[in-house]
Amino acid sequence: MNPHITVITLGVDDLERSLLFYRDGLGLPTKGIVGQEFEHGAVAFFDLQAGVKLAIWNRKDIAYDTKINQIVPSPTEFTIGHNVGSKEEVDRVMEQARKANATITVPPHDTFWGGYSGYFQDPDGHLWEIVWNPNMEV
């Protein structure tokens, strides 16, 4: 397998609410919800870095498409890491998320490994880590 990821899809309970959070709250570029003419097809894509997109799709539609029963999600299944270039940028992004009604689970702080990070949850509980790592170029 060529380790090349092009889309990360998050299951959401309310597509409109999540669209507003990611588009208006965090400022991610999108063309909005597409595929509404298809049963189980409504989805929104957000442009991230070159060649990578974030998608939001209703959990019930993911369950239908994958033939897997929908279960109660756990926010600790995975985190999405957003590396930034400075401690100040961590603070700015975390404040932007707070203003977009994200739940701040861990405020920005110095980490044990020499970095600086904080965590927030989107409206559906997905965990985002905003992090400055002095050993990682962004």
Side-chain angles (χ1 to χ4, degrees):
M1 178 174 153
N2 179 7
H4 182 83
I5 294 174
T6 55
V7 178
I8 296 171
T9 303
L10 300 178
V12 301
D13 292 322
D14 184 330
L15 200 54
E16 285 287 337
R17 178 187 68 188
S18 292
L19 174 67
L20 292 173
F21 177 80
Y22 284 105
R23 182 191 63 202
D24 301 343
L26 297 185
L28 299 183
T30 182
K31 294 179 180 172
I33 298 172
V34 299
Q36 292 175 302
E37 67 274 24
F38 304 107
E39 185 177 11
H40 307 290
V43 64
F45 295 96
F46 302 89
D47 296 323
L48 301 178
Q49 64 207 49
V52 180
K53 293 193 180 293
L54 174 70
I56 53 174
W57 195 17
N58 280 313
R59 284 185 170 114
K60 63 180 176 56
D61 296 330
I62 293 173
Y64 174 85
D65 199 52
T66 61
K67 311 292 186 265
I68 295 175
N69 290 330
Q70 186 175 342
I71 60 171
V72 177
S74 169
T76 59
E77 295 297 323
F78 68 94
T79 66
I80 301 168
H82 177 59
N83 285 282
V84 297
S86 69
K87 289 182 176 185
E88 295 77 22
E89 194 171 354
V90 170
D91 291 336
R92 282 193 303 272
V93 173
M94 291 293 292
E95 179 61 16
Q96 183 178 9
R98 186 194 63 75
K99 287 180 178 176
N101 294 319
T103 300
I104 307 300
T105 62
V106 178
H109 65 285
D110 291 313
T111 65
F112 70 90
W113 48 266
Y116 187 75
S117 74
Y119 285 92
F120 72 82
Q121 286 181 288
D122 74 3
D124 291 280
H126 301 108
L127 273 170
W128 285 76
E129 180 186 23
I130 310 304
V131 61
W132 169 73
N133 182 336
N135 301 309
M136 185 178 289
E137 196 172 309
V138 291

